[in-house]
Amino acid sequence: MKIQKYLSVIFCGIFILFFSLWCYFVPTPEYSESERRTLAKFPEITIDSIWSGEFANNFEEYTTDRFPMRDTWRSIKAYTRLYGLLQSENNSVFVKDGHISKLEYPMDTQMLDYAVTLFNKLQKNHFQNNDVYFAVIPDKNQYLTDLKIDIKELESYLYDKLPFCTPIYLEELLSKDDYYYTDSHWRQDKIIDVAEYITNSMGTDIPKTYNECQLEIPFNGVYVGQSALKCKPDTITYLTNDIINNLQVEGANAVYDMKKANGKDAYEFF
């Protein structure tokens, strides 16, 4: 019995020592490709930061971000929670009907008020003599889970504070499959009817004929890295026609920037 206790202590000590040395001697990346964010840096040591607890909090974030084999441990945790313990989500990320998504709940009125302030400023400074239309783009959670923001409540909250806008309601036109499986964005090839509805609501129209093209590069959306799961990548299908091909875009070579398709986020080529 004593031998088992000693072995447990020795094993834990070796484990902690090994990973401590690894953390100290093996350089870690500054940027997480999977999560598309900059990792925490070692916090500055000051008397004030130590006394206030700020250093401890920042150091905990630093060690969590720079722990060896971090993505592997994240994947183990995600698979254990979602498929071992049958939890509904992992760090607010969930999987349903082949889609990966992130819970955005409850409604953040502070952020909405900030947006309202900007929209009112834009209208006052630039669009006082123009017709202004406004459409809330539903998050794909509207079509995947019951734990979601009430889109009607959100629209009412915004439109009441933006009296100069003509609202355009989109939620009835969309479904979960109008969005990428691994990302939050619409799929361009799936929303032609939505684009037509928007333009018709504004008293104009759009071309009816398009050619569908596909990027050869697999698209791993933002939720792939956040979920830490191995996922089947999406395929980006984009639309072209003579009008789009002949457009000149200020600050870019064309409507679709193929160079960015090979970057960190293939979606940036739009």
Side-chain angles (χ1 to χ4, degrees):
M1 199 66 179
K2 287 184 178 181
I3 294 177
Q4 291 179 346
K5 291 182 179 179
Y6 289 139
L7 289 175
S8 299
V9 172
I10 292 171
F11 176 79
C12 290
I14 293 174
F15 181 87
I16 294 172
L17 177 63
F18 174 75
F19 280 102
S20 296
L21 293 174
W22 188 340
C23 286
Y24 186 79
F25 289 106
V26 178
T28 55
E30 299 293 325
Y31 183 85
S32 172
E33 295 288 347
S34 61
E35 297 174 272
R36 302 180 189 175
R37 69 178 181 88
T38 302
L39 299 177
K41 296 181 179 180
F42 190 87
E44 183 182 0
I45 303 175
T46 65
I47 295 176
D48 289 340
S49 65
I50 294 174
W51 182 258
S52 66
E54 180 182 356
F55 174 81
N57 292 332
N58 292 338
F59 182 75
E60 182 179 357
E61 182 181 356
Y62 166 79
T63 54
T64 301
D65 272 6
R66 302 305 181 100
F67 196 82
M69 300 171 58
R70 181 171 177 274
D71 285 341
T72 300
W73 296 114
R74 290 179 62 241
S75 294
I76 292 172
K77 174 179 176 287
Y79 279 103
T80 300
R81 278 184 61 90
L82 294 175
Y83 302 110
L85 302 177
L86 301 180
Q87 299 289 319
S88 60
E89 51 80 27
N90 176 49
N91 296 333
S92 297
V93 177
F94 67 95
V95 181
K96 186 175 181 182
D97 299 337
H99 284 269
I100 310 175
S101 192
K102 188 172 185 178
L103 295 174
E104 299 290 347
Y105 184 85
M107 188 168 72
D108 188 342
T109 55
Q110 184 176 357
M111 290 296 294
L112 294 179
D113 289 339
Y114 178 71
V116 166
T117 300
L118 294 180
F119 295 150
N120 277 300
K121 185 176 180 180
L122 283 171
Q123 192 271 341
K124 180 180 178 180
N125 294 338
H126 303 287
F127 304 111
Q128 284 193 17
N129 300 318
N130 300 90
D131 294 330
V132 179
Y133 297 85
F134 193 97
V136 174
I137 300 175
D139 185 86
K140 73 174 178 179
N141 287 348
Q142 294 293 321
Y143 314 100
L144 290 173
T145 177
D146 293 329
L147 189 61
K148 60 192 177 187
I149 295 172
D150 187 331
I151 190 68
K152 298 293 186 184
E153 180 184 354
L154 189 153
E155 288 174 332
S156 177
Y157 187 91
L158 286 174
Y159 296 149
D160 286 347
K161 295 176 180 291
L162 299 170
F164 57 86
C165 289
T166 300
I168 300 175
Y169 300 95
L170 303 179
E171 58 270 16
E172 300 300 329
L173 301 176
L174 295 163
S175 70
K176 63 180 183 294
D177 292 327
D178 291 324
Y179 300 78
Y180 289 102
Y181 286 99
T182 64
D183 199 78
S184 59
H185 289 99
W186 287 346
R187 295 170 58 183
Q188 189 188 58
D189 55 311
K190 297 292 185 180
I191 59 165
I192 296 176
D193 59 330
V194 180
E196 289 180 346
Y197 179 77
I198 292 173
T199 53
N200 290 338
S201 299
M202 297 171 65
T204 185
D205 55 19
I206 58 174
K208 308 296 182 183
T209 304
Y210 299 92
N211 298 316
E212 290 192 359
C213 305
Q214 289 187 344
L215 283 184
E216 296 180 358
I217 303 164
F219 175 49
N220 290 301
V222 64
Y223 294 136
V224 173
Q226 294 181 14
S227 70
L229 301 172
K230 298 296 183 183
C231 310
K232 180 181 178 180
D234 277 299
T235 298
I236 290 183
T237 299
Y238 61 99
L239 306 179
T240 65
N241 56 24
D242 290 340
I243 295 176
I244 294 175
N245 291 335
N246 291 322
L247 283 174
Q248 294 184 356
V249 184
E250 185 176 349
N253 295 324
V255 173
Y256 303 118
D257 191 337
M258 294 301 171
K259 291 182 179 179
K260 290 187 176 180
N262 294 287
K264 296 176 180 178
D265 182 0
Y267 191 83
E268 290 184 350
F269 102 111
F270 281 111

